Amino acid sequence: MELKLNRKNDSDVFSLHEGDVPFLSFRALDDTGIFMNAFSTRFGGVSEGYLASMNLTLSKEGEKPEHVAENFRRMAEACGFDDSRKKLSFQGHTVNVRAIGNEDIRNGILKSDWDGYVDGMVTDVPGLTLVTFFADCVPLYIADPVRKAIGLCHSGWRGTVGRIGALALLRMKELYGTKLSDVICCIGPSICRDCFEVGPEVADAFREAFPESWHREIIFGPTEDTSGNEKYHVDLWRTNELIFRDAGVMEGNIYTTNVCTRCNTEVFWSHRALGTRRGNMAAFLSIKE
């Protein structure tokens, strides 16, 4: 399995595990020996038709619950986490971050036990795996190896504008005593700057949300599309890097895969490339027992 890398030729940030159930993991997290982390691909599952083969959500038309359950079981076996002790996010492009404990664990694959949308989760419970879902949006992995606490966020453009990564860090500081100087932050496979074309309203939201000194690094354009409409490109990776730095994370502790889901549609699901006729990948993060 080959991946096209973006922005820089840096494959040292992640490991590509090419077994029967392939997945990516961050070497900075693997090297601690404390955390299990993974990001799925399109391969290694049992889903059928347009969802073949590793789809990890029930929200797609025609998907069978037993297929999704088996896909999770296979991911758990490949990555080394307990499939019966996981918590699935219920995403709505919000900046809601919840703390998760043993009382929140539900067996199975349903996400209906939330009382509202949750796009970020934090925990300090060993063996409890946090799970979030993706098909171009940005996975944010946050790990504190000193106090052994973690956070996992789904950050689309709205979550990025709302600084969901910084909000997760704040929750970890409040709840677990996390010190920002200890934290490792990883930005997972997601849509790259060149593929993330947006209208002026999204570009304006980034201008309003972030300091002017950031604008040249995160907003590009305008250009015109074939219909003469004004278009921009936004760099979600760089924006989240700057958000983590601005929150107080050390620059050397921030890692970005530089792997675009839209540029690698043969490996990953991409909403921009495939629309609604696609599955979802998942990010997994836990503290080893």
Side-chain angles (χ1 to χ4, degrees):
M1 183 182 300
E2 294 185 3
L3 293 173
K4 176 184 176 182
L5 302 178
N6 298 76
R7 292 172 52 191
K8 61 182 180 180
N9 186 25
D10 185 0
S11 60
D12 292 335
V13 170
F14 64 89
S15 296
L16 176 59
H17 305 262
E18 294 193 78
D20 292 337
V21 182
F23 65 94
L24 277 68
S25 68
F26 284 95
R27 291 178 179 171
L29 298 178
D30 293 335
D31 289 347
T32 67
I34 298 170
F35 307 107
M36 184 287 305
N37 77 103
F39 190 80
S40 66
T41 71
R42 294 178 60 165
F43 302 109
V46 298
S47 294
E48 300 173 338
Y50 76 98
L51 295 169
S53 65
M54 181 58 76
N55 167 56
L56 291 163
T57 182
L58 276 177
S59 63
K60 297 302 176 181
E61 183 179 359
E63 182 58 290
K64 298 177 180 179
E66 60 268 28
H67 286 172
V68 176
E70 174 61 14
N71 290 344
F72 269 108
R73 189 200 66 77
R74 291 186 178 199
M75 286 299 305
E77 183 177 34
C79 303
F81 66 88
D82 185 346
D83 189 39
S84 69
R85 299 189 65 212
K86 61 182 182 291
K87 184 63 175 177
L88 313 184
S89 60
F90 184 50
Q91 296 164 193
H93 294 281
T94 69
V95 292
N96 298 333
V97 178
R98 301 280 183 90
I100 306 301
N102 279 318
E103 68 278 7
D104 297 300
I105 297 174
R106 301 289 186 274
N107 291 333
I109 55 175
L110 298 178
K111 298 179 279 184
S112 58
D113 55 316
W114 292 104
D115 58 3
Y117 289 121
V118 175
D119 285 75
M121 298 178 288
V122 298
T123 192
D124 66 345
V125 179
L128 194 166
T129 299
L130 305 179
V131 185
T132 50
F133 300 92
F134 301 90
D136 280 338
C137 291
V138 184
L140 302 178
Y141 300 71
I142 303 169
D144 175 355
V146 176
R147 282 149 191 85
K148 296 184 179 179
I150 55 173
L152 187 63
C153 299
H154 162 262
S155 186
W157 76 259
R158 292 178 180 86
T160 299
V161 164
R163 300 187 183 224
I164 191 172
L167 294 175
L169 285 167
L170 180 61
R171 291 289 281 159
M172 292 171 65
K173 181 179 179 180
E174 293 172 344
L175 294 172
Y176 314 128
T178 290
K179 294 181 180 179
L180 295 170
S181 58
D182 297 328
V183 170
I184 300 168
C185 293
C186 299
I187 299 168
S190 44
I191 196 164
C192 72
R193 179 183 81 191
D194 293 341
C195 291
F196 191 48
E197 184 179 77
V198 300
E201 70 284 352
V202 176
D204 288 343
F206 276 75
R207 289 193 190 95
E208 294 169 7
F210 301 112
E212 186 175 353
S213 59
W214 295 17
H215 292 178
R216 293 183 63 183
E217 296 186 65
I218 65 174
I219 307 165
F220 303 87
T223 59
E224 289 188 358
D225 64 16
T226 55
S227 300
N229 299 313
E230 192 175 83
K231 294 294 182 180
Y232 294 80
H233 288 85
V234 168
D235 192 334
L236 295 175
W237 298 345
R238 183 57 179 157
T239 306
N240 279 289
E241 290 169 352
L242 291 170
I243 288 168
F244 283 139
R245 281 291 297 122
D246 193 53
V249 179
M250 296 176 62
E251 185 173 4
N253 285 349
I254 302 171
Y255 301 88
T256 304
T257 57
N258 294 312
V259 175
C260 173
T261 47
R262 175 63 181 82
C263 291
N264 289 280
T265 54
E266 70 283 2
V267 178
F268 302 112
W269 300 112
S270 167
H271 183 76
R272 282 290 177 112
L274 302 169
T276 59
R277 298 286 292 177
R278 47 86 184 161
N280 274 11
M281 287 91 63
F284 302 84
L285 182 62
S286 63
I287 305 159
K288 294 180 180 180
E289 294 184 285

